[in-house]
PDB file of all heavy atoms in Angstrom:
ATOM      1  N   ALA A 244      12.664  -6.198   8.684  1.00 98.00           N
ATOM      2  CA  ALA A 244      12.422  -7.529   9.241  1.00 98.00           C
ATOM      3  C   ALA A 244      10.990  -7.545   9.803  1.00 98.00           C
ATOM      4  O   ALA A 244      10.190  -6.675   9.469  1.00 98.00           O
ATOM      5  CB  ALA A 244      13.452  -7.842  10.315  1.00 98.00           C
ATOM      6  N   GLY A 245      10.701  -8.525  10.642  1.00 98.00           N
ATOM      7  CA  GLY A 245       9.395  -8.583  11.314  1.00 98.00           C
ATOM      8  C   GLY A 245       8.212  -8.676  10.360  1.00 98.00           C
ATOM      9  O   GLY A 245       8.345  -9.071   9.200  1.00 98.00           O
ATOM     10  N   SER A 246       7.055  -8.292  10.895  1.00 98.00           N
ATOM     11  CA  SER A 246       5.820  -8.408  10.117  1.00 98.00           C
ATOM     12  C   SER A 246       5.858  -7.531   8.873  1.00 98.00           C
ATOM     13  O   SER A 246       5.176  -7.810   7.896  1.00 98.00           O
ATOM     14  CB  SER A 246       4.628  -8.029  10.984  1.00 98.00           C
ATOM     15  OG  SER A 246       4.866  -6.794  11.620  1.00 98.00           O
ATOM     16  N   LEU A 247       6.651  -6.467   8.917  1.00 98.00           N
ATOM     17  CA  LEU A 247       6.745  -5.592   7.745  1.00 98.00           C
ATOM     18  C   LEU A 247       7.380  -6.350   6.582  1.00 98.00           C
ATOM     19  O   LEU A 247       6.913  -6.286   5.452  1.00 98.00           O
ATOM     20  CB  LEU A 247       7.562  -4.347   8.085  1.00 98.00           C
ATOM     21  CG  LEU A 247       7.659  -3.299   6.980  1.00 98.00           C
ATOM     22  CD1 LEU A 247       6.275  -2.843   6.552  1.00 98.00           C
ATOM     23  CD2 LEU A 247       8.484  -2.107   7.429  1.00 98.00           C
ATOM     24  N   ARG A 249       7.357  -9.505   6.215  1.00 98.00           N
ATOM     25  CA  ARG A 249       6.384 -10.522   5.800  1.00 98.00           C
ATOM     26  C   ARG A 249       5.196  -9.894   5.085  1.00 98.00           C
ATOM     27  O   ARG A 249       4.274 -10.569   4.664  1.00 98.00           O
ATOM     28  CB  ARG A 249       5.915 -11.348   7.022  1.00 98.00           C
ATOM     29  CG  ARG A 249       7.038 -12.045   7.764  1.00 98.00           C
ATOM     30  CD  ARG A 249       6.556 -13.129   8.706  1.00 98.00           C
ATOM     31  NE  ARG A 249       5.452 -12.759   9.573  1.00 98.00           N
ATOM     32  CZ  ARG A 249       5.563 -12.094  10.717  1.00 98.00           C
ATOM     33  NH1 ARG A 249       6.745 -11.733  11.161  1.00 98.00           N
ATOM     34  NH2 ARG A 249       4.481 -11.797  11.429  1.00 98.00           N
ATOM     35  N   VAL A 254       0.923  -3.561  10.653  1.00 95.00           N
ATOM     36  CA  VAL A 254       2.023  -3.977  11.528  1.00 95.00           C
ATOM     37  C   VAL A 254       1.948  -3.192  12.832  1.00 95.00           C
ATOM     38  O   VAL A 254       1.384  -2.100  12.887  1.00 95.00           O
ATOM     39  CB  VAL A 254       3.403  -3.767  10.861  1.00 95.00           C
ATOM     40  CG1 VAL A 254       3.515  -4.564   9.575  1.00 95.00           C
ATOM     41  CG2 VAL A 254       3.672  -2.295  10.593  1.00 95.00           C
ATOM     42  N   ARG A 255       2.530  -3.799  13.879  1.00 92.00           N
ATOM     43  CA  ARG A 255       2.502  -3.143  15.182  1.00 92.00           C
ATOM     44  C   ARG A 255       3.665  -2.170  15.294  1.00 92.00           C
ATOM     45  O   ARG A 255       3.564  -1.121  15.910  1.00 92.00           O
ATOM     46  CB  ARG A 255       2.596  -4.230  16.261  1.00 92.00           C
ATOM     47  CG  ARG A 255       2.356  -3.808  17.674  1.00 92.00           C
ATOM     48  CD  ARG A 255       2.436  -5.030  18.584  1.00 92.00           C
ATOM     49  NE  ARG A 255       3.613  -5.848  18.306  1.00 92.00           N
ATOM     50  CZ  ARG A 255       4.813  -5.654  18.854  1.00 92.00           C
ATOM     51  NH1 ARG A 255       4.996  -4.710  19.728  1.00 92.00           N
ATOM     52  NH2 ARG A 255       5.832  -6.423  18.526  1.00 92.00           N
ATOM     53  N   ASP A 256       4.792  -2.538  14.733  1.00 94.00           N
ATOM     54  CA  ASP A 256       5.959  -1.658  14.754  1.00 94.00           C
ATOM     55  C   ASP A 256       6.824  -1.988  13.541  1.00 94.00           C
ATOM     56  O   ASP A 256       6.500  -2.879  12.772  1.00 94.00           O
ATOM     57  CB  ASP A 256       6.749  -1.823  16.063  1.00 94.00           C
ATOM     58  CG  ASP A 256       7.255  -3.237  16.263  1.00 94.00           C
ATOM     59  OD1 ASP A 256       7.247  -4.023  15.294  1.00 94.00           O
ATOM     60  OD2 ASP A 256       7.657  -3.558  17.387  1.00 94.00           O
ATOM     61  N   ILE A 257       7.916  -1.235  13.397  1.00 97.00           N
ATOM     62  CA  ILE A 257       8.818  -1.456  12.265  1.00 97.00           C
ATOM     63  C   ILE A 257      10.108  -2.072  12.809  1.00 97.00           C
ATOM     64  O   ILE A 257      10.650  -1.575  13.804  1.00 97.00           O
ATOM     65  CB  ILE A 257       9.123  -0.112  11.561  1.00 97.00           C
ATOM     66  CG1 ILE A 257       7.836   0.459  10.961  1.00 97.00           C
ATOM     67  CG2 ILE A 257      10.211  -0.274  10.505  1.00 97.00           C
ATOM     68  CD1 ILE A 257       7.978   1.872  10.405  1.00 97.00           C
ATOM     69  N   ASP A 258      10.569  -3.157  12.197  1.00 98.00           N
ATOM     70  CA  ASP A 258      11.823  -3.788  12.614  1.00 98.00           C
ATOM     71  C   ASP A 258      12.859  -3.636  11.513  1.00 98.00           C
ATOM     72  O   ASP A 258      12.556  -3.875  10.342  1.00 98.00           O
ATOM     73  CB  ASP A 258      11.593  -5.286  12.871  1.00 98.00           C
ATOM     74  CG  ASP A 258      10.588  -5.526  13.986  1.00 98.00           C
ATOM     75  OD1 ASP A 258      10.940  -5.313  15.146  1.00 98.00           O
ATOM     76  OD2 ASP A 258       9.433  -5.909  13.675  1.00 98.00           O
ATOM     77  N   ASP A 301      12.237  -0.478  15.852  1.00 97.00           N
ATOM     78  CA  ASP A 301      13.314  -1.198  16.554  1.00 97.00           C
ATOM     79  C   ASP A 301      14.426  -1.498  15.561  1.00 97.00           C
ATOM     80  O   ASP A 301      14.146  -1.941  14.439  1.00 97.00           O
ATOM     81  CB  ASP A 301      12.811  -2.552  17.087  1.00 97.00           C
ATOM     82  CG  ASP A 301      11.828  -2.371  18.240  1.00 97.00           C
ATOM     83  OD1 ASP A 301      11.721  -1.235  18.750  1.00 97.00           O
ATOM     84  OD2 ASP A 301      11.180  -3.362  18.612  1.00 97.00           O
ATOM     85  N   PHE A 317      14.604 -12.520  13.093  1.00 97.00           N
ATOM     86  CA  PHE A 317      13.809 -11.308  13.333  1.00 97.00           C
ATOM     87  C   PHE A 317      12.746 -11.054  12.275  1.00 97.00           C
ATOM     88  O   PHE A 317      11.933 -10.152  12.414  1.00 97.00           O
ATOM     89  CB  PHE A 317      14.727 -10.091  13.498  1.00 97.00           C
ATOM     90  CG  PHE A 317      15.547 -10.157  14.757  1.00 97.00           C
ATOM     91  CD1 PHE A 317      16.930 -10.281  14.715  1.00 97.00           C
ATOM     92  CD2 PHE A 317      14.923 -10.139  16.001  1.00 97.00           C
ATOM     93  CE1 PHE A 317      17.676 -10.375  15.877  1.00 97.00           C
ATOM     94  CE2 PHE A 317      15.661 -10.234  17.177  1.00 97.00           C
ATOM     95  CZ  PHE A 317      17.037 -10.359  17.114  1.00 97.00           C
TER      96      PHE A 317
HETATM   97 CA1   CA B 276       7.392  -6.007  14.428  1.00 56.04          CA
END
Side-chain angles (χ1 to χ4, degrees):
S246 50
L247 184 57
R249 302 196 313 278
V254 300
R255 190 178 47 87
D256 60 15
I257 296 172
D258 299 287
D301 290 348
F317 292 114

